[in-house]
Amino acid sequence: MSAPTVLPGSPSPLGATLQTDGTNFAVVSAADAVLLCLFDGNGNETQIALPERDGEVWHGFVPGIGALLSRGTP
């Protein structure tokens, strides 16, 4: 999987929110950065940094990412 584009997205709702054109991710963390790990159907991992932070909520929107991908956080 090539590195997908990630846009600022929305801090709410928390979690992964499927939309018609991609998925918004919002995670509560006091860390200095949050990496989102995406896995394709073959188990190949792509890590992307969530680009925005509002308070302790890191968030980003990934166009084209649908419900068939699984996710994990290191």
Side-chain angles (χ1 to χ4, degrees), residues 14 26-35 50 53-58:
L14 294 176
V27 179
V28 174
S29 176
D32 292 330
V34 172
L35 290 178
L50 292 179
R53 183 178 185 184
D54 288 316
E56 291 190 347
V57 179
W58 288 89

Side-chain angles (χ1 to χ4, degrees), residues 12-73:
S12 64
L14 294 176
T17 304
L18 186 62
Q19 298 176 359
T20 57
D21 55 346
T23 301
N24 189 75
F25 296 93
V27 179
V28 174
S29 176
D32 292 330
V34 172
L35 290 178
L36 178 68
C37 300
L38 301 173
F39 299 88
D40 66 15
N42 295 320
N44 299 313
E45 178 184 15
T46 299
Q47 295 183 358
I48 55 173
L50 292 179
E52 296 292 323
R53 183 178 185 184
D54 288 316
E56 291 190 347
V57 179
W58 288 89
H59 52 93
F61 178 80
V62 184
I65 297 295
L68 296 179
L69 291 176
S70 60
R71 63 192 183 283
T73 52

